[in-house]
């Protein structure tokens, strides 16, 4: 394209200018995200309870709305909902911990027996494993000083987790009680011209989180029931506790299923032997196949769909930033981000068939603006 007479030649071709503009936008967005992550890490004691409270509100919202629909006062309904959460979560933790404590010695004994079997069949390699199993107490005593130091830091971590859980529970109560004022509060924080867009983005993000939490809970319940029934048929001890463990870890996609399934197989190996452990492994794999090919597509078909690679990257990033809590929060937050992007794309994308560039350059932003020809008129 030749420039107009008397106009200066552009220093760079138009595609290079577009590439530079996109790079600047991406770098600016990355900078904002990086600063946001730094602030979240710096104020994680206050931010994490809020995020957990949002997840809890999204999960418990239907129960609260049902109670309100039965003409229960909003404050009482929120209190009953939080009490139900405490009872269910506390009971699940007790069942899981009690089952693992009862089966812990059996798991260690089974691993030592497996080492002896390896020593018989594989010679020196198996002998080294057996020696490692026999000398495990000596190794623990050798590093006892380091462990004692870790106990102190571990107690502080436990105290912090308890404080976060209590604060999140209180926030869930207030979020549930005052949920009818959420839209008005959101609109008061943004300019009036952007209020509708902000409200639509907030609704879309919360709907994505609510759909994800509701679908994940239903899938986790089905997985836990199926695995519990299979373990009960195989007469594996602590089957109910292992089923509760499956339910809790199901909120961490992929990795949670691997951890809970491994614990179930180890318990089966400890008490029932190698053959029953293989059957337990078959039960776990069958349930995971059922989840991946039937439950996930059917139950979560109306929520934000994310590619498994995106889910794995989100989990990895969350684990690097905040450990277990990061893995728990990564996927629903990513779902919320996808919901916001979907709403923005729906609102600001150019209509199909509308030209975005004229013969001499861009004609302006989609939807009108300076330099844009009016559509449909002569």
């Amino acid at each position: 394209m030749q420039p107009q007479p008397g106009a200066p030649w552009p220093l760079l071709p138009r595609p290079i200018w577009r590439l530079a503009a996109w790079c600047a936008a991406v770098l600016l967005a990355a900078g904002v995200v990086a600063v946001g992550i730094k602030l979240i890490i710096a104020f994680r004691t206050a931010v994490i309870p809020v995020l957990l409270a949002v997840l809890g509100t999204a999960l418990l919202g239907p129960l609260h709305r049902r109670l309100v629909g039965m003409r229960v006062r909003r404050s009482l309904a929120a209190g009953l909902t939080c009490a139900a959460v405490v009872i269910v979560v506390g009971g699940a933790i007790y069942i899981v911990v009690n089952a693992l404590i009862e089966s812990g010695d059996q798991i260690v004994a089974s691993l030592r027996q497996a080492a002896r079997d390896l020593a018989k069949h594989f010679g020196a390699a198996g002998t080294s494993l057996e020696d490692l199993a026999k000398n495990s107490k000596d190794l623990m005593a050798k590093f006892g000083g380091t462990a004692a130091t870790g106990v102190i830091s571990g107690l502080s971590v436990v105290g912090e987790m308890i404080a976060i859980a209590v604060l999140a529970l209180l926030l869930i109560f207030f979020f549930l009680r005052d949920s009818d004022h959420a839209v008005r509060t959101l609109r008061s924080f943004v300019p009036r011209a952007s209020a509708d867009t902000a409200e639509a983005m907030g609704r879309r993000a919360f709907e994505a989180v609510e759909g994800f939490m509701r679908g994940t809970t239903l899938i986790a319940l089905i997985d836990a029931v199926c695995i519990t029934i299979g373990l009960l048929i195989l007469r594996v001890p602590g089957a109910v506790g292992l089923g509760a463990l499956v339910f809790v870890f199901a909120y961490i996609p992929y990795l949670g299923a691997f951890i809970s399934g491994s614990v179930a197989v180890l318990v089966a190996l400890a008490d029932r032997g190698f053959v029953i452990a293989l059957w337990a492994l078959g039960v776990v794999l069958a349930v995971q196949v059922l989840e991946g090919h039937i439950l996930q597509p059917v139950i979560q078909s109306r929520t934000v769909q994310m590619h498994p690679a995106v889910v794995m990257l989100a989990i990895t990033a969350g684990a690097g930033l905040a450990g277990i809590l990061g893995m728990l929060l990564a996927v629903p937050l990513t779902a919320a981000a996808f919901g916001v992007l979907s709403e923005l794309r729906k609102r600001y994308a150019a209509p199909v068939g509308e030209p975005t560039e004229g013969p001499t350059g861009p004609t302006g932003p989609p939807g009108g603006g300076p330099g844009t020809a009016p559509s449909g008129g002569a």
Side-chain angles (χ1 to χ4, degrees):
M1 181 181 65
Q2 296 293 332
Q4 297 295 331
W9 281 85
L11 296 177
L12 294 173
R14 186 175 297 277
I16 302 299
W17 282 108
R18 289 182 175 178
L19 177 61
W22 275 107
C23 290
V26 170
L27 289 176
L28 179 60
V32 172
V33 171
V35 172
I37 292 175
K38 290 289 186 181
L39 291 176
I40 290 174
I41 295 175
F43 299 100
R44 62 183 180 275
T45 307
V47 173
I48 290 176
V50 175
L51 296 178
L52 291 177
V54 171
L55 297 184
T57 304
L59 179 61
L60 301 172
L63 176 59
H64 180 261
R65 290 193 292 269
R66 183 180 293 270
L67 291 175
V68 173
M70 297 169 60
R71 297 185 178 180
V72 180
R73 295 183 60 181
R74 297 188 66 88
S75 298
L76 180 58
L80 293 175
T81 304
C82 292
V85 171
V86 172
I87 294 173
V88 172
V89 173
I93 292 176
Y94 172 78
I95 293 173
V96 171
V97 172
N98 187 55
L100 293 181
I101 289 176
E102 291 180 354
S103 305
D105 294 337
Q106 296 175 346
I107 294 174
V108 174
S110 178
L111 293 177
R112 293 186 64 178
Q113 183 61 42
R116 295 190 187 98
D117 294 339
L118 287 175
K120 294 178 182 178
H121 293 89
F122 297 100
T127 303
S128 62
L129 290 175
E130 182 181 6
D131 293 338
L132 180 61
K134 288 181 178 179
N135 297 328
S136 58
K137 294 183 178 180
D138 297 334
L139 292 174
M140 292 298 296
K142 181 177 180 181
F143 296 101
T146 305
T149 304
V151 167
I152 299 176
S153 61
L155 290 176
S156 63
V157 171
V158 171
E160 182 179 349
M161 291 180 62
I162 293 175
I164 289 175
V166 172
L167 182 56
L169 185 63
L170 293 175
L171 289 174
I172 289 174
F173 171 79
F174 290 118
F175 287 172
L176 289 173
R177 189 191 67 176
D178 302 327
S179 58
D180 54 334
H181 305 307
V183 173
R184 185 166 64 251
T185 303
L186 175 63
R187 296 180 71 94
S188 66
F189 281 108
V190 296
R192 181 173 300 180
S194 305
D196 292 339
T197 302
E199 179 183 346
M201 291 169 55
R203 289 185 182 277
R204 190 64 178 268
F206 189 78
E207 287 173 0
V209 175
E210 188 176 29
F212 172 82
M213 294 298 293
R214 185 169 58 246
T216 301
T217 301
L218 182 56
I219 292 173
L221 181 61
I222 296 175
D223 288 354
V225 170
C226 292
I227 290 180
T228 301
I229 292 175
L231 296 179
L232 287 174
I233 293 174
L234 297 174
R235 293 185 295 175
V236 176
V240 177
L242 294 172
L245 187 69
V246 170
F247 178 82
V248 172
F249 276 85
Y251 288 95
I252 304 176
Y254 304 117
L255 184 61
F258 173 78
I259 294 174
S260 58
S262 299
V263 173
V265 173
L266 280 177
V267 174
L269 178 65
D271 188 79
R272 302 285 292 150
F274 183 73
V275 176
I276 299 299
L278 287 180
W279 278 103
L281 178 61
V283 170
V284 172
L285 292 179
V287 171
Q288 295 306 316
V289 170
L290 174 68
E291 174 188 341
H293 293 276
I294 297 178
L295 299 181
Q296 288 279 2
V298 172
I299 294 177
Q300 289 192 340
S301 60
R302 297 183 180 180
T303 62
V304 177
Q305 297 295 318
M306 294 180 292
H307 194 275
V310 176
V311 175
M312 294 301 297
L313 288 175
I315 294 174
T316 304
L321 292 174
I324 298 295
L325 282 176
M327 290 189 291
L328 176 64
L329 296 171
V331 179
L333 291 180
T334 305
F338 269 70
V340 171
L341 291 176
S342 176
E343 182 65 28
L344 290 175
R345 185 169 58 249
K346 183 179 70 175
R347 283 178 169 264
Y348 294 107
V352 178
E354 179 180 339
T356 58
E357 183 176 356
T360 60
T363 60
T372 306
S375 59

